[in-house]
Amino acid sequence: MVSCPSPTRFRDSLQRLTKPLLLQGLALASGLVGLGIIPLVGTGQALALNAYCQVTQADALAKENLRKAALTGDTAATEQYQALVRQHTEALSQCRSRTWPQRQAVWLRLYPCDLQPGILDALFDRVVNLGYNEVYVEVFYGGQVLLPQADNPTVWPSVVQTPGYERRDLFAEALEKGRQRSLKVDAWVFALNFGYSYGLRADREQVLALNGRGQTTYTYAKSGASSNPDEVFVDPYNTQAQDDYSRMLGAVLRRQPDGVLFDYVRYPRGVGPNSVVDSVDDLWIYGQASRDALLRRAANQQGQELIRRYISRGHLLDRDIQDVRDLYPNEAEPLWQSRTPSPSLQPGQAPPTPASLRPRLQAELWQLSVAHAVQGVVDFVKLAGEQAQRTGIQPGAVFFPEGNQTVGTGGYDSRLQYWERFPTWMTWHPMAYAVCGHTGCILDGVRRVQTMIPGGTSPTITPALAGIWGQATYNRPALETQMEALRRATPEITSVSHFAYSWQDPEFDRVRKFCSL
């Protein structure tokens, strides 16, 4: 871990990193073959942007040098720096208006040290330099929230906890700096993943999602069954979870971001055999709130009792069917939501035997249980999205294109992320992160989303690509290769995002992350 115990040492570290970082992040701005240069005239001298609306190394360095000089109190440098920021802002706006995609966003995490003088300016300058006109700022993640300690009404700790900074509002300051550069700044928030710190709270244990093996998502993650031990998911039917989330979201929305993106709209992603849900015990529907809501889906008493027995044991016995007949003789058969009643028996006709009914009833109860788990996720994100809509802020949902797949015979992807049921008045952000060494699997994910859009609707689709400009990495093509393939395949898509800013500027991100205020 790198420690920067003083603001002076932190600034010195940034100065040492400035040139190599800019060269790394902007190498393709003047060096890649085949990029057309788009001349744009701003308020001063001509400014050249490349085919991806990125500035040259020389212009980026000139702006950075003026920023550093302005920090010393140099009035002339301050005026020149502000003029250059305005010029770059105008040039980017012109370029994006005529260049695909018209909206190009980057996913960004802020750190406490971004409150140091000038650091947010440097950060957003670099965002503009790379051709982005929108930023998704991570505001609620990892069991913490980007709200000042003095104004944090939530159950989660603040990201910034340094004494003396209790009233500094990093998210609000980032919104201001972004808008000075005409950037759209959206709040990126986790949804059902409330974080490890939430899982540690004794007063919230009953809020966590619970499976049929008695595991909460906290104990499940600690056992190594999930892909990330820090992810703790809540029962979406739990009203305490809904209230805690609404309070957090309300505080974020009061800062008036341009949009809000809901991530982790799903259940945990298991590893190995846990990656597939193929029995009712695998489902996160055993919390009291979810269990009660499932029982309410029964349409009669026979149905409710059969649901109770099925989820308690994990399967039905022949005697269960006879038992519910004996308990409620006035009801012809067990019923629940979505179940179609059987044709009425003819006079003198004997009812089907329990043994003949059991396989079909058990299969129907399995489908009901899966649908119930899925509906909890959909209802939770819809509730959050409606809260954003009421404040005039556009909501969006982030998801994996493959998160809603069936696996084998009767199994499901453990995430149960049935995004095609998400509200289409939200923007859709499919994470096209597939890895195959070329763009084919990436495009397949985007096409899959397009083909599964509910009929009669047209949500705005903003694919999220993972990669680095000018460099293939992690068996993924360079971003410009992905972008060109996406443009050719889906020219109707006009907004794209890139995960993540830290990938483009890793050293700058590392210093900001590990320093101390």
Side-chain angles (χ1 to χ4, degrees), residues 2 17 111 505-515:
V2 176
L17 286 167
Y111 304 108
D505 220 346
E507 287 302 311
F508 188 41
D509 186 78
R510 183 181 62 86
V511 171
R512 292 168 43 239
K513 178 178 181 179
F514 291 122
C515 90

Side-chain angles (χ1 to χ4, degrees), residues 369-425:
S369 301
V370 172
H372 173 70
V374 168
Q375 194 61 46
V377 173
V378 174
D379 289 347
F380 190 92
V381 75
K382 182 181 178 183
L383 195 65
E386 289 171 343
Q387 183 177 348
Q389 268 198 329
R390 288 194 295 272
T391 65
I393 294 172
Q394 176 62 43
V398 187
F399 56 87
F400 289 101
E402 308 82 16
N404 61 348
Q405 293 187 119
T406 56
V407 182
T409 305
Y412 298 87
D413 185 295
S414 62
R415 293 168 290 189
L416 290 179
Q417 191 170 48
Y418 276 71
W419 45 262
E420 73 273 20
R421 301 185 190 180
F422 291 172
T424 53
W425 40 262

Side-chain angles (χ1 to χ4, degrees), residues 152 210 370:
N152 180 2
L210 184 72
V370 172

Side-chain angles (χ1 to χ4, degrees), residues 4-12 116-117 165 516-517:
C4 302
S6 70
T8 301
R9 282 188 60 191
F10 180 56
R11 286 194 294 270
D12 290 345
Q116 297 256 5
Y165 288 81
S516 302
L517 276 175

Side-chain angles (χ1 to χ4, degrees), residues 287-399:
Q288 193 63 54
S290 184
R291 193 184 187 100
D292 290 347
L294 177 58
L295 291 174
R296 287 195 296 272
R297 297 192 186 279
N300 65 7
Q301 290 178 305
Q302 279 195 24
Q304 187 175 87
E305 181 60 23
L306 216 55
I307 292 171
R308 180 181 291 109
R309 293 185 181 211
Y310 173 69
I311 63 174
S312 297
R313 190 188 300 114
H315 60 275
L316 291 181
L317 301 174
D318 293 348
R319 74 165 184 267
D320 292 326
I321 300 167
Q322 187 59 52
D323 284 349
V324 299
R325 286 176 173 175
D326 294 341
L327 284 168
Y328 307 106
N330 294 329
E331 297 177 351
E333 62 180 323
L335 296 174
W336 45 79
Q337 288 178 10
S338 78
R339 184 161 198 268
T340 303
S342 303
S344 300
L345 296 175
Q346 297 300 316
Q349 183 180 3
T353 65
S356 66
L357 282 177
R358 184 181 54 78
R360 179 164 63 89
L361 288 173
Q362 184 164 293
E364 291 180 3
L365 284 169
W366 165 239
Q367 294 301 322
L368 174 70
S369 301
V370 172
H372 173 70
V374 168
Q375 194 61 46
V377 173
V378 174
D379 289 347
F380 190 92
V381 75
K382 182 181 178 183
L383 195 65
E386 289 171 343
Q387 183 177 348
Q389 268 198 329
R390 288 194 295 272
T391 65
I393 294 172
Q394 176 62 43
V398 187
F399 56 87

Side-chain angles (χ1 to χ4, degrees), residues 25 44 66 69 100 130 134-135 168 176 209 225 251 278 345 427 434 475 498:
L66 285 171
W100 184 94
L130 288 169
E134 189 162 7
V135 183
R168 290 289 296 275
E176 180 183 3
D278 56 12
L345 296 175
T427 54
N475 207 28
H498 296 157

